[in-house]
């Protein structure tokens, strides 16, 4: 019997096709893994960059906040110093008025006698002075 050793049909074509498909699958698998690596690496780098930007923005905001707080503190201290000076001047003026009132009270107390009470003595002295001035004015008019 003459039987051929190779099967009928196109034996070379079938055997030649199998290694080509394996290479295509490997190529697709390698490309898929490479693509996944690129996407994953890109996502990782994007995450690192956003974290870096967040830290940088937070540092900038902290620096701006510190500068503003220092400025507000300086304004506050200058206002406090101005108020202290103003209040010191007002207190000095008020002390002068209090001293003058105390002198007036001391004068009225010293000039008080047993004949008049302390609250009415100054008014009566002024009234007497007014009467004497009117009398002098009448005498001056009579002389002319």
């Amino acid at each position: 019997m003459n039987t051929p050793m190779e099967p009928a049909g196109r034996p070379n074509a079938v055997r030649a096709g199998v290694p080509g498909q394996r290479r295509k699958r490997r190529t697709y698998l390698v490309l898929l893994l490479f693509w996944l690596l690129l996407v994953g690496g890109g996502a990782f780098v994007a995450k690192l960059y956003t974290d870096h930007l967040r830290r940088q923005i937070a540092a900038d905001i902290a620096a701006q906040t510190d500068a503003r707080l220092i400025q507000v503190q300086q304004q506050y201290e200058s206002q406090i110093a101005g108020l202290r000076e103003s209040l010191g001047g007002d207190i000095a003026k008020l002390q002068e008025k209090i001293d003058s009132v105390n002198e007036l009270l001391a004068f009225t107390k010293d000039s008080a006698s047993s004949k008049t009470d302390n609250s009415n003595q100054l008014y009566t002295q002024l009234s007497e002075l007014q009467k004497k001035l009117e009398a002098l004015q009448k005498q001056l008019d009579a002389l002319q």
Side-chain angles (χ1 to χ4, degrees):
M1 291 202 218
N2 268 338
T3 56
M5 292 197 111
E6 294 184 15
R10 301 168 70 198
N12 289 337
V14 174
R15 289 185 184 170
V18 173
Q21 287 178 351
R22 285 184 185 168
R23 283 186 188 161
K24 284 183 183 180
R25 285 185 187 167
R26 283 184 193 161
T27 304
Y28 288 133
L29 185 62
V30 168
L31 287 176
L32 179 65
L33 289 176
F34 183 71
W35 181 79
L36 288 175
L37 182 65
L38 281 177
V39 170
F44 180 71
V45 169
K47 172 76 169 113
L48 288 178
Y49 184 67
T50 55
D51 289 344
H52 169 72
L53 286 178
R54 283 183 188 159
R55 285 191 302 271
Q56 188 177 11
I57 290 171
D60 289 344
I61 290 173
Q64 290 173 0
T65 303
D66 289 343
R68 182 67 179 141
L69 284 175
I70 289 170
Q71 182 182 14
V72 167
Q73 184 179 7
Q74 289 173 348
Q75 288 176 352
Y76 175 75
E77 288 174 356
S78 68
Q79 287 177 351
I80 293 294
L83 288 174
R84 282 183 183 161
E85 291 175 7
S86 174
L87 195 59
D90 291 344
I91 288 174
K93 289 178 184 177
L94 191 60
Q95 186 63 40
E96 289 176 7
K97 289 181 181 181
I98 289 172
D99 290 341
S100 67
V101 168
N102 282 338
E103 289 175 7
L104 182 61
L105 287 174
F107 171 74
T108 57
K109 187 175 182 181
D110 290 342
S111 65
S113 67
S114 61
K115 295 179 184 176
T116 60
D117 63 353
N118 290 338
S119 63
N120 204 10
Q121 184 182 7
L122 188 59
Y123 178 74
T124 55
Q125 287 176 355
L126 287 174
S127 175
E128 290 174 4
L129 186 61
Q130 179 86 18
K131 288 178 185 176
K132 287 181 183 179
L133 282 174
E134 287 175 359
L136 285 173
Q137 183 70 30
K138 286 180 185 179
Q139 286 178 1
L140 185 63
D141 287 340
L143 288 175
Q144 290 179 0

